[in-house]
mmCIF file of all heavy atoms in Angstrom:
data_model
loop_
_atom_site.group_PDB
_atom_site.id
_atom_site.type_symbol
_atom_site.label_atom_id
_atom_site.label_comp_id
_atom_site.label_asym_id
_atom_site.label_seq_id
_atom_site.Cartn_x
_atom_site.Cartn_y
_atom_site.Cartn_z
ATOM 1 N N SER A 86 -1.657 -4.520 35.308
ATOM 2 C CA SER A 86 -0.207 -4.720 35.496
ATOM 3 C C SER A 86 0.471 -5.051 34.174
ATOM 4 O O SER A 86 1.609 -4.644 33.931
ATOM 5 C CB SER A 86 0.071 -5.812 36.535
ATOM 6 O OG SER A 86 -0.382 -7.067 36.065
ATOM 7 N N LYS A 88 -0.666 -4.109 31.081
ATOM 8 C CA LYS A 88 -0.657 -2.901 30.244
ATOM 9 C C LYS A 88 0.499 -1.983 30.670
ATOM 10 O O LYS A 88 1.231 -1.451 29.840
ATOM 11 C CB LYS A 88 -1.994 -2.158 30.364
ATOM 12 C CG LYS A 88 -3.139 -2.914 29.706
ATOM 13 C CD LYS A 88 -4.446 -2.145 29.777
ATOM 14 C CE LYS A 88 -4.423 -0.912 28.905
ATOM 15 N NZ LYS A 88 -5.678 -0.162 28.964
ATOM 16 N N LEU A 95 7.994 -1.036 26.075
ATOM 17 C CA LEU A 95 8.106 -0.373 24.768
ATOM 18 C C LEU A 95 8.837 0.969 24.894
ATOM 19 O O LEU A 95 9.571 1.370 23.995
ATOM 20 C CB LEU A 95 6.724 -0.174 24.142
ATOM 21 C CG LEU A 95 6.006 -1.470 23.729
ATOM 22 C CD1 LEU A 95 4.630 -1.168 23.158
ATOM 23 C CD2 LEU A 95 6.827 -2.260 22.717
ATOM 24 N N VAL A 103 3.525 5.314 25.162
ATOM 25 C CA VAL A 103 2.178 4.773 24.902
ATOM 26 C C VAL A 103 1.276 5.094 26.090
ATOM 27 O O VAL A 103 1.604 4.758 27.233
ATOM 28 C CB VAL A 103 2.259 3.237 24.706
ATOM 29 C CG1 VAL A 103 0.873 2.653 24.487
ATOM 30 C CG2 VAL A 103 3.193 2.880 23.565
ATOM 31 N N ASN A 105 -2.325 4.816 28.366
ATOM 32 C CA ASN A 105 -3.091 3.641 28.798
ATOM 33 C C ASN A 105 -4.237 3.295 27.845
ATOM 34 O O ASN A 105 -4.593 2.129 27.692
ATOM 35 C CB ASN A 105 -3.640 3.921 30.206
ATOM 36 C CG ASN A 105 -3.998 2.635 30.906
ATOM 37 O OD1 ASN A 105 -3.267 1.648 30.812
ATOM 38 N ND2 ASN A 105 -5.133 2.628 31.575
ATOM 39 N N TYR A 144 -7.276 -12.495 5.855
ATOM 40 C CA TYR A 144 -7.971 -11.458 6.638
ATOM 41 C C TYR A 144 -8.819 -10.567 5.718
ATOM 42 O O TYR A 144 -9.890 -10.115 6.113
ATOM 43 C CB TYR A 144 -6.973 -10.631 7.466
ATOM 44 C CG TYR A 144 -6.387 -11.440 8.615
ATOM 45 C CD1 TYR A 144 -5.060 -11.829 8.628
ATOM 46 C CD2 TYR A 144 -7.203 -11.846 9.670
ATOM 47 C CE1 TYR A 144 -4.541 -12.598 9.669
ATOM 48 C CE2 TYR A 144 -6.698 -12.619 10.712
ATOM 49 C CZ TYR A 144 -5.371 -12.984 10.703
ATOM 50 O OH TYR A 144 -4.872 -13.749 11.734
ATOM 51 N N THR A 148 -12.937 -10.111 6.050
ATOM 52 C CA THR A 148 -13.538 -8.800 6.319
ATOM 53 C C THR A 148 -14.129 -8.169 5.059
ATOM 54 O O THR A 148 -14.589 -7.034 5.113
ATOM 55 C CB THR A 148 -12.488 -7.834 6.914
ATOM 56 O OG1 THR A 148 -11.364 -7.794 6.030
ATOM 57 C CG2 THR A 148 -12.022 -8.281 8.271
ATOM 58 N N VAL A 174 -1.491 4.485 -3.155
ATOM 59 C CA VAL A 174 -1.764 5.246 -1.933
ATOM 60 C C VAL A 174 -3.151 5.897 -1.952
ATOM 61 O O VAL A 174 -3.821 5.974 -0.928
ATOM 62 C CB VAL A 174 -0.625 6.270 -1.662
ATOM 63 C CG1 VAL A 174 -0.639 7.393 -2.669
ATOM 64 C CG2 VAL A 174 -0.678 6.773 -0.248
ATOM 65 N N PHE A 193 12.762 -3.935 7.292
ATOM 66 C CA PHE A 193 12.858 -2.594 6.700
ATOM 67 C C PHE A 193 14.084 -1.897 7.265
ATOM 68 O O PHE A 193 14.376 -2.025 8.456
ATOM 69 C CB PHE A 193 11.653 -1.725 7.114
ATOM 70 C CG PHE A 193 10.390 -2.008 6.363
ATOM 71 C CD1 PHE A 193 9.225 -2.329 7.047
ATOM 72 C CD2 PHE A 193 10.335 -1.936 4.985
ATOM 73 C CE1 PHE A 193 8.040 -2.577 6.370
ATOM 74 C CE2 PHE A 193 9.151 -2.184 4.293
ATOM 75 C CZ PHE A 193 8.005 -2.503 4.987
ATOM 76 N N CYS A 202 6.504 6.059 5.438
ATOM 77 C CA CYS A 202 5.710 6.885 6.357
ATOM 78 C C CYS A 202 5.439 8.264 5.744
ATOM 79 O O CYS A 202 4.341 8.819 5.901
ATOM 80 C CB CYS A 202 6.440 7.041 7.693
ATOM 81 S SG CYS A 202 6.491 5.511 8.615
ATOM 82 N N PRO A 218 -8.765 8.334 7.212
ATOM 83 C CA PRO A 218 -7.318 8.302 6.984
ATOM 84 C C PRO A 218 -6.826 6.961 6.486
ATOM 85 O O PRO A 218 -7.498 5.937 6.628
ATOM 86 C CB PRO A 218 -6.724 8.605 8.357
ATOM 87 C CG PRO A 218 -7.798 8.428 9.341
ATOM 88 C CD PRO A 218 -9.107 8.505 8.629
ATOM 89 N N THR A 232 19.134 -10.576 13.996
ATOM 90 C CA THR A 232 20.544 -10.944 14.083
ATOM 91 C C THR A 232 21.351 -9.684 14.411
ATOM 92 O O THR A 232 20.888 -8.550 14.211
ATOM 93 C CB THR A 232 21.039 -11.598 12.785
ATOM 94 O OG1 THR A 232 20.936 -10.640 11.767
ATOM 95 C CG2 THR A 232 20.216 -12.796 12.405
ATOM 96 N N ALA A 260 8.852 -13.762 20.489
ATOM 97 C CA ALA A 260 9.982 -13.256 21.276
ATOM 98 C C ALA A 260 10.361 -14.219 22.404
ATOM 99 O O ALA A 260 11.532 -14.374 22.722
ATOM 100 C CB ALA A 260 9.620 -11.902 21.866
ATOM 101 N N THR A 264 4.348 -19.506 21.624
ATOM 102 C CA THR A 264 3.209 -19.437 20.704
ATOM 103 C C THR A 264 1.926 -20.001 21.315
ATOM 104 O O THR A 264 0.833 -19.592 20.942
ATOM 105 C CB THR A 264 3.530 -20.200 19.402
ATOM 106 O OG1 THR A 264 3.975 -21.511 19.763
ATOM 107 C CG2 THR A 264 4.611 -19.510 18.594
ATOM 108 N N GLY A 265 2.075 -20.931 22.256
ATOM 109 C CA GLY A 265 0.885 -21.530 22.863
ATOM 110 C C GLY A 265 0.431 -20.833 24.129
ATOM 111 O O GLY A 265 -0.594 -21.191 24.702
ATOM 112 N N ARG A 302 4.858 -9.830 35.109
ATOM 113 C CA ARG A 302 5.977 -10.018 36.061
ATOM 114 C C ARG A 302 7.277 -10.265 35.298
ATOM 115 O O ARG A 302 8.328 -9.737 35.654
ATOM 116 C CB ARG A 302 5.693 -11.222 36.978
ATOM 117 C CG ARG A 302 4.639 -10.940 38.029
ATOM 118 C CD ARG A 302 4.416 -12.159 38.919
ATOM 119 N NE ARG A 302 5.507 -12.415 39.845
ATOM 120 C CZ ARG A 302 5.607 -13.531 40.582
ATOM 121 N NH1 ARG A 302 4.692 -14.484 40.489
ATOM 122 N NH2 ARG A 302 6.636 -13.692 41.402
ATOM 123 N N ASN A 305 8.687 -7.124 33.491
ATOM 124 C CA ASN A 305 9.256 -6.141 34.432
ATOM 125 C C ASN A 305 10.687 -6.483 34.836
ATOM 126 O O ASN A 305 11.408 -5.633 35.336
ATOM 127 C CB ASN A 305 8.388 -6.059 35.698
ATOM 128 C CG ASN A 305 7.116 -5.267 35.429
ATOM 129 O OD1 ASN A 305 7.095 -4.407 34.550
ATOM 130 N ND2 ASN A 305 6.060 -5.556 36.175
ATOM 131 N N ASN A 330 25.173 -19.978 5.093
ATOM 132 C CA ASN A 330 26.519 -20.161 4.536
ATOM 133 C C ASN A 330 26.575 -21.420 3.680
ATOM 134 O O ASN A 330 27.199 -21.438 2.621
ATOM 135 C CB ASN A 330 27.574 -20.231 5.653
ATOM 136 C CG ASN A 330 27.728 -18.873 6.325
ATOM 137 O OD1 ASN A 330 27.396 -17.847 5.736
ATOM 138 N ND2 ASN A 330 28.203 -18.868 7.567
ATOM 139 N N GLY A 331 25.899 -22.471 4.143
ATOM 140 C CA GLY A 331 25.890 -23.723 3.380
ATOM 141 C C GLY A 331 25.190 -23.558 2.037
ATOM 142 O O GLY A 331 25.675 -24.018 0.991
ATOM 143 N N LEU A 335 26.776 -23.705 -1.801
ATOM 144 C CA LEU A 335 26.232 -24.482 -2.929
ATOM 145 C C LEU A 335 26.063 -23.583 -4.155
ATOM 146 O O LEU A 335 26.407 -23.953 -5.278
ATOM 147 C CB LEU A 335 24.871 -25.096 -2.560
ATOM 148 C CG LEU A 335 24.874 -26.278 -1.574
ATOM 149 C CD1 LEU A 335 23.443 -26.689 -1.242
ATOM 150 C CD2 LEU A 335 25.614 -27.465 -2.180
ATOM 151 N N ARG A 338 29.170 -22.845 -5.913
ATOM 152 C CA ARG A 338 29.693 -24.002 -6.654
ATOM 153 C C ARG A 338 28.780 -24.387 -7.828
ATOM 154 O O ARG A 338 28.876 -25.470 -8.379
ATOM 155 C CB ARG A 338 29.888 -25.189 -5.703
ATOM 156 C CG ARG A 338 31.078 -24.923 -4.744
ATOM 157 C CD ARG A 338 31.509 -26.162 -3.982
ATOM 158 N NE ARG A 338 30.597 -26.501 -2.916
ATOM 159 C CZ ARG A 338 29.983 -27.675 -2.789
ATOM 160 N NH1 ARG A 338 30.154 -28.619 -3.690
ATOM 161 N NH2 ARG A 338 29.192 -27.912 -1.779
ATOM 162 N N PHE A 340 25.376 -24.740 -7.986
ATOM 163 C CA PHE A 340 24.079 -25.406 -7.789
ATOM 164 C C PHE A 340 22.947 -24.381 -7.937
ATOM 165 O O PHE A 340 23.133 -23.204 -7.582
ATOM 166 C CB PHE A 340 24.024 -26.073 -6.411
ATOM 167 C CG PHE A 340 24.910 -27.281 -6.296
ATOM 168 C CD1 PHE A 340 26.231 -27.167 -5.869
ATOM 169 C CD2 PHE A 340 24.434 -28.547 -6.660
ATOM 170 C CE1 PHE A 340 27.056 -28.277 -5.795
ATOM 171 C CE2 PHE A 340 25.253 -29.657 -6.583
ATOM 172 C CZ PHE A 340 26.566 -29.529 -6.151
ATOM 173 N N ILE A 360 12.769 -25.371 -11.923
ATOM 174 C CA ILE A 360 11.784 -25.480 -13.007
ATOM 175 C C ILE A 360 12.548 -25.895 -14.264
ATOM 176 O O ILE A 360 13.566 -25.297 -14.608
ATOM 177 C CB ILE A 360 11.050 -24.131 -13.250
ATOM 178 C CG1 ILE A 360 10.316 -23.683 -11.991
ATOM 179 C CG2 ILE A 360 10.129 -24.212 -14.478
ATOM 180 C CD1 ILE A 360 8.936 -24.178 -11.745
ATOM 181 N N THR A 373 5.571 -24.878 -9.077
ATOM 182 C CA THR A 373 6.073 -24.734 -7.707
ATOM 183 C C THR A 373 5.781 -26.009 -6.919
ATOM 184 O O THR A 373 6.628 -26.486 -6.148
ATOM 185 C CB THR A 373 5.379 -23.525 -7.023
ATOM 186 O OG1 THR A 373 5.548 -22.386 -7.856
ATOM 187 C CG2 THR A 373 5.957 -23.253 -5.656
ATOM 188 N N GLY A 385 13.748 -35.477 1.248
ATOM 189 C CA GLY A 385 13.181 -35.584 2.598
ATOM 190 C C GLY A 385 13.208 -34.238 3.310
ATOM 191 O O GLY A 385 13.331 -34.162 4.532
#
Side-chain angles (χ1 to χ4, degrees):
S86 65
K88 290 182 69 180
L95 293 178
V103 178
N105 200 41
Y144 289 111
T148 54
V174 70
F193 282 125
C202 290
T232 63
T264 52
R302 286 181 73 190
N305 284 333
N330 291 338
L335 287 176
R338 289 192 285 124
F340 289 90
I360 300 273
T373 307

